[in-house]
Amino acid sequence: MQKKTIRKAVLPVAGLGTRFLPATKALPKEMLTIVDRPIIQYVVDEARKAGIEHIVFVTGRNKHVIEDHFDIAYELEDTLRERGKQEALDLLEAIRPAAGGTSFTRQQEPLGLGHAIWCARDLIGNEPFAILLPDMLMKSDPGCLSQMVEVYEKTGGNVISVEAVPEDQTHNYGIVEIDGDPSAHTVKITGMVEKPKPGTAPSNLFINGRYILQPRIFELLEKQGTGAGGEIQLTDAMLALMGEQTFTGLRFEGETYDCGSKSGFLAANIAYALEDEELAGQIRPVLNDLLKV
Ligand code: G1P
């Protein structure tokens, strides 16, 4: 098993975003904004801060705008330069990954998360890598993936981020089975199940969308049949890998917002807005007023 540095990450962005129609009719759901940045920008920033040098986006139709977002915008930047808008230029430069630091590949058919990750196999190659599900926004400093890399440097193997969820919601997620104290900072994972039927979850810890995996997962994904929802599930392939390698769960310190749901998306907007001093001063009175009984 390899304990190489984590240099590459996969961001699966092929989903249709049907829960946000009509907003996502022409706009990828990953480009919806939290305050003033698209969701995907937060996730890319989290990856880069954790030392990721190369990001593989697994895309689908109508996702070109994501590629444009991470490219130089010549016309816009020229105009900003002519107008002396240095601050805006600096901002655009800071968010841009290094030249050659991104790859885009298409998931041609919506066969599930496991299949989406498998589509990145050639671009990742034979090295351990990270996966960040862009629906899940992790608000913390240091970022969730940075915290995971720190754990990985000690444990090696595979590391996934887990978090407690109310029992009536376990059927919406991948749930882990663990050995030991579920409230510990790191836990030994002994099993996992994707979207367990209500009342059958092995714990209340769900997989919240950040993974560090060994490349062996690709060989297992290649053979993986369909699972929950008739899709090829990453969770099922990880369970197979667990027969050969260790899996450590990290309960990261920070907040998770499930931006795949409207309530999570709105909560993230409020949380990030309240973090900005100027904006917080403006919206706090509005929120207080709206919440008055
Ligand atoms: C996926 C994973 C699941 C995980 C979840 C987190 O499910 O399959 O294990 O808990 O992301 O958001 P999906 O949201 O694609 O149904």
Side-chain angles (χ1 to χ4, degrees):
M1 202 190 333
Q2 309 173 19
K3 197 175 155 190
K4 290 188 198 157
T5 314
I6 309 299
R7 299 187 310 122
K8 296 184 183 176
V10 181
L11 271 62
V13 291
L16 295 175
T18 44
R19 278 191 276 179
F20 281 90
L21 283 170
T24 49
K25 186 180 171 198
L27 183 76
K29 63 174 174 169
E30 297 79 11
M31 292 301 292
L32 295 174
T33 51
I34 305 294
V35 184
D36 55 6
R37 297 167 185 220
I39 296 173
I40 192 84
Q41 182 70 61
Y42 289 86
V43 182
V44 166
D45 288 351
E46 179 191 333
R48 290 177 69 203
K49 281 187 193 151
I52 299 296
E53 295 163 10
H54 194 110
I55 295 181
V56 179
F57 294 88
V58 180
T59 69
R61 288 180 193 286
N62 295 329
K63 301 280 181 170
H64 311 98
V65 67
I66 296 178
E67 199 164 343
D68 291 343
H69 182 75
F70 291 107
D71 194 5
I72 290 181
Y74 278 107
E75 271 185 33
L76 170 66
E77 293 179 34
D78 264 1
T79 310
L80 292 173
R81 217 165 281 122
E82 273 166 27
R83 296 185 185 169
K85 303 267 186 204
Q86 194 55 43
E87 210 178 308
L89 279 167
D90 291 347
L91 177 71
L92 294 184
E93 198 183 321
I95 65 169
R96 199 165 50 231
T102 52
S103 298
F104 294 82
T105 188
R106 281 232 183 150
Q107 183 185 25
Q108 295 162 333
E109 294 173 89
L111 298 180
L113 176 61
H115 177 259
I117 301 304
W118 179 75
C119 290
R121 66 200 179 281
D122 287 345
L123 294 163
I124 295 295
N126 189 28
E127 57 183 283
F129 64 104
I131 300 170
L132 297 95
L133 305 188
D135 272 356
M136 304 303 264
L137 211 55
M138 317 304 229
K139 188 166 174 295
S140 67
D141 188 18
C144 180
L145 190 63
S146 298
Q147 295 180 35
M148 291 170 70
V149 167
E150 208 184 312
V151 171
Y152 168 81
E153 278 163 2
K154 291 184 200 124
T155 61
N158 303 270
V159 177
I160 56 181
S161 176
V162 295
E163 179 174 338
V165 67
E167 211 170 312
D168 63 353
Q169 286 174 37
T170 50
H171 66 281
N172 291 321
Y173 298 106
I175 306 290
V176 295
E177 182 180 297
I178 60 151
D179 186 14
D181 176 6
S183 62
H185 182 54
T186 55
V187 291
K188 182 176 176 222
I189 298 176
T190 53
M192 55 180 74
V193 52
E194 182 66 19
K195 306 205 171 66
K197 294 205 171 66
T200 67
S203 79
N204 70 338
L205 293 179
F206 86 103
I207 301 168
N208 63 7
R210 299 292 183 271
Y211 313 71
I212 291 176
L213 298 178
Q214 297 292 327
R216 167 81 174 126
I217 195 77
F218 292 121
E219 289 161 350
L220 296 168
L221 281 170
E222 180 140 14
K223 292 182 289 187
Q224 187 60 56
T226 54
E231 298 190 334
I232 298 171
Q233 295 291 353
L234 178 61
T235 304
D236 294 339
M238 291 196 296
L239 185 62
L241 183 54
M242 211 173 288
E244 306 171 15
Q245 301 178 5
T246 60
F247 271 75
T248 305
L250 166 71
R251 299 187 52 148
F252 92 108
E253 283 163 38
E255 296 297 322
T256 303
Y257 297 95
D258 183 352
C259 293
S261 77
K262 286 178 193 167
S263 59
F265 173 75
L266 291 171
N269 261 296
I270 296 168
Y272 278 92
L274 288 175
E275 210 178 46
D276 176 309
E277 212 177 304
E278 196 185 331
L279 210 49
Q282 291 163 0
I283 68 155
R284 201 170 266 125
V286 180
L287 289 175
N288 286 340
D289 207 36
L290 287 170
L291 292 172
K292 248 183 232 153
V293 194

